[in-house]
């Protein structure tokens, strides 16, 4: 399968994610918007310029005008499409993956990620050889390639989305040496925050390396050392944001989603089945409906659009404010948190106390994915859920990419959660 839940991702210049693939993919995608414009952004990885150049050649070969945005967050590409600058958008990034990897994320008109049908059409346009069957324009019909900076427009749009600003808030920003390195600190400063930066040099060879949203230890230490009010950590392409409070305590995506749902008075919030039960309980206590989806931001987005809701996200910090963006936007998330702190005068720890996280234990069991649905395993899971009642939760989920079954248990204590999870893991292994 060419496309995963978030585009194509793998080792850059490896067996799959090659410049040849990027060129052929762009040519095939270009058939969806003949004579149109494609915008391309990338993160800071060393392989980014190579894949960007190949994709630009592919789009131009299909007759599309190509606008290169340079190093920008993924949501900037979506923003450019939403504003009509591009009929198609491509982000060259592997998000939170380590540096040797890279990826290709496609957006369509309006800044929405392509649906399964569009991805299937693109995939069908590629031959096994990596070439596509699309037409090849000649002469002046070949697409032009130009550079354009939309950063100022993008930042202005974010500042309009959170007009309360962030006056007086002291924040440490971890840019993960990625796409957020330049724009995130600038955005928060313009909003009025006092900003200190770490891992914002944009050194792509070190992207996500011991920093960013997947490695919070550095921002935790810096917040405590400097006496900041909070820390905000982005991932490589800046579509995620996690936080730490003034004590260095992690505030994850569930907690950020909860405090924003209450602060923004959202009637309904969309989360995934992996969201902590404490989140669901907190929303229920405040009369906020929770709609849960499969794991993956695309499923959250589908539910938001289908239900006419505006706020949703994942525990990983991939949050979507559909009233201001068409995709997950870590900078918008960070600014929303800062704005709420500034407008209420409350600390992040106080705001995050809207929910109490139940201890959660996750065990990845090496087993055929079908084991997650076997009668023996589902029966055991049902018995454990009866034993926990409404005090906890059991979730079995087959990995989408590996021969693994994920056993997740939440309970009032970590010891109880681990005991239940380990019993279930034994059933999965049999």
């Amino acid at each position: 399968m060419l496309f995963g839940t978030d585009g194509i991702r793998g080792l850059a210049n490896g067996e799959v994610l090659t410049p040849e693939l990027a060129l052929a993919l762009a040519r095939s995608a270009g058939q969806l918007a003949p004579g149109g414009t494609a915008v391309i952004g990338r993160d800071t990885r060393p392989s980014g310029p190579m894949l960007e150049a190949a994709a630009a050649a592919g789009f131009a070969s299909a007759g599309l005008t190509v606008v290169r945005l340079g190093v920008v967050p993924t949501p900037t590409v979506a923003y450019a499409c939403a504003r009509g600058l591009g009929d198609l958008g491509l982000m060259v990034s592997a998000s939170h993956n380590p540096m040797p990897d890279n990826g290709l994320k496609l957006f369509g008109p309006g800044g929405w990620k392509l649906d399964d049908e569009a991805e299937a059409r693109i995939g069908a346009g590629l031959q096994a050889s990596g070439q596509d069957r699309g037409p090849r324009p000649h002469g002046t019909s070949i697409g032009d390639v130009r550079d354009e900076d939309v950063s100022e427009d993008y930042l202005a749009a974010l500042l309009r989305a959170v007009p309360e600003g962030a006056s007086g808030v002291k924040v440490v920003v971890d840019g993960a040496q990625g796409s957020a390195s330049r724009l995130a600190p600038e955005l928060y400063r313009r909003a009025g925050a006092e900003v200190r930066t770490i891992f914002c040099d944009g050194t792509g060879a070190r992207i996500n390396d011991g920093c960013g949203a997947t490695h919070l230890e550095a921002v935790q230490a810096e917040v405590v050392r400097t006496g900041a009010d909070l820390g905000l950590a982005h991932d490589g392409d800046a579509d995620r944001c996690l936080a730490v409070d003034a004590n260095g305590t992690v505030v994850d995506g569930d907690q950020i989603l909860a405090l924003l749902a209450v602060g923004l008075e959202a009637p309904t919030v969309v989360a995934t089945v992996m969201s902590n039960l404490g989140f669901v309980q907190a929303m229920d206590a405040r009369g906020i409906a929770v709609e849960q989806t499969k794991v993956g931001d695309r499923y959250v987005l589908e539910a938001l659009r289908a239900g006419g809701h505006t706020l949703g996200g994942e525990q990983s910090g991939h949050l979507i404010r559909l009233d201001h963006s068409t995709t997950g936007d870590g900078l918008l998330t960070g600014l929303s948190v800062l704005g709420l702190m500034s407008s209420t005068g409350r600390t992040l720890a106080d705001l995050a106390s809207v929910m109490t996280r139940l201890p959660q234990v996750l065990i990845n069991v090496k087993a055929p994915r079908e084991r997650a649905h076997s009668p023996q395993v589902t029966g055991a899971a049902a018995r454990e859920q009866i034993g926990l009642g409404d005090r906890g939760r059991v979730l079995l989920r087959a990995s989408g990419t590996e021969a693994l079954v994920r056993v997740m248990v939440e309970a009032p204590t970590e010891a109880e959660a681990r005991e239940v999870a380990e019993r279930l893991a034994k059933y999965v292994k049999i």
Side-chain angles (χ1 to χ4, degrees):
M1 187 175 179
L2 186 63
F3 291 94
T5 56
D6 196 19
I8 303 169
R9 200 175 296 183
L11 178 64
N13 220 26
E15 293 184 5
V16 177
L17 194 66
T18 61
E20 292 85 354
L21 174 66
L23 188 149
L25 183 80
R27 272 191 44 79
S28 185
Q31 311 310 316
L32 301 179
T37 299
V39 296
I40 305 177
R42 60 180 173 87
D43 67 20
T44 56
R45 295 167 204 268
S47 59
M50 172 186 74
L51 295 171
E52 175 196 51
F59 283 128
S61 176
L64 277 71
T65 297
V66 180
V67 178
R68 298 187 301 187
L69 304 179
V71 174
V72 294
T74 287
T76 309
V77 175
Y79 169 80
C81 291
R83 291 297 301 270
L85 180 60
D87 302 288
L88 290 172
L90 176 68
M91 181 66 185
V92 181
S93 174
S95 190
H96 59 280
N97 281 31
M99 181 274 291
D101 289 350
N102 217 322
L104 304 168
K105 302 182 186 181
L106 284 164
F107 294 87
W112 306 107
K113 286 186 178 179
L114 295 184
D115 58 24
D116 292 340
E117 181 182 354
E119 288 183 348
R121 289 175 59 191
I122 294 170
L126 300 177
Q127 297 176 349
S129 64
Q131 297 297 314
D132 69 283
R133 301 181 178 89
R136 292 183 176 274
H138 303 97
T140 57
S141 295
I142 295 173
D144 184 31
V145 180
R146 70 173 189 271
D147 296 327
E148 189 164 337
D149 188 352
V150 300
S151 298
E152 285 298 318
D153 289 345
Y154 170 63
L155 293 179
L158 293 178
L159 291 168
R160 289 194 299 270
V162 188
E164 54 267 38
S167 180
V169 181
K170 298 179 181 179
V171 58
V172 175
V173 180
D174 182 343
Q177 300 291 21
S179 293
S181 296
R182 176 174 65 94
L183 294 186
E186 180 65 19
L187 172 68
Y188 303 145
R189 288 192 182 101
R190 291 188 189 185
E194 183 179 323
V195 178
R196 181 176 183 83
T197 62
I198 58 174
F199 302 108
C200 284
D201 302 325
T203 307
R206 295 180 55 208
I207 192 169
N208 299 322
D209 183 9
C211 57
T214 52
H215 302 278
L216 295 170
E217 299 82 8
V219 72
Q220 288 175 290
E222 189 68 6
V223 166
V224 172
R225 188 186 74 80
T226 60
D229 297 314
L230 78 160
L232 296 173
H234 298 285
D235 64 337
D237 68 336
D239 61 357
R240 295 187 186 190
C241 178
L242 290 180
V244 301
D245 66 20
N247 299 313
T249 303
V250 174
V251 178
D252 71 8
D254 284 342
Q255 294 167 292
I256 295 173
L257 189 58
L259 67 88
L260 289 182
V262 173
L264 298 173
E265 299 181 345
T268 300
V269 65
V270 177
T272 75
V273 293
M274 289 299 289
S275 285
N276 192 274
L277 181 58
F279 168 80
V280 179
Q281 293 172 339
M283 296 298 95
D284 183 62
R286 287 159 180 79
I288 299 173
V290 177
E291 185 174 335
Q292 290 185 283
T293 73
K294 294 188 293 184
V295 175
D297 67 286
R298 68 184 302 167
Y299 302 114
V300 173
L301 181 57
E302 286 173 4
L304 287 171
R305 297 183 71 183
H309 313 307
T310 58
L311 181 64
E314 299 184 279
Q315 197 177 76
S316 62
H318 197 134
L319 271 62
I320 302 172
R321 284 193 61 181
L322 207 55
D323 50 345
H324 296 293
S325 181
T326 60
T327 191
D329 190 330
L331 274 67
L332 178 57
T333 298
L335 186 60
S336 298
V337 171
L338 292 174
L340 199 55
M341 291 176 64
S342 179
S343 63
T344 63
R346 298 171 64 186
T347 66
L348 179 57
D350 187 28
L351 290 169
S353 68
V354 67
M355 69 165 279
T356 301
R357 283 185 53 82
L358 268 68
Q360 187 181 83
V361 172
L362 176 66
I363 299 178
N364 292 319
V365 183
K366 289 185 177 181
R369 285 177 278 178
E370 309 84 66
R371 287 291 295 169
H373 309 291
S374 70
Q376 300 95 326
V377 173
T378 56
R383 291 192 296 273
E384 295 288 0
Q385 184 63 70
I386 291 171
L388 287 170
D390 59 6
R391 301 180 307 114
R393 184 169 66 113
V394 172
L395 178 67
L396 296 176
R397 189 169 68 88
S399 169
T401 57
E402 303 173 80
L404 291 175
V405 175
R406 307 191 195 282
V407 178
M408 191 274 283
V409 177
E410 293 166 342
T413 67
E414 183 171 355
E416 185 177 6
R418 186 164 298 282
E419 182 181 342
V420 173
E422 289 176 351
R423 279 201 301 266
L424 279 174
K426 289 180 182 177
Y427 273 98
V428 175
K429 289 179 183 177
I430 294 173

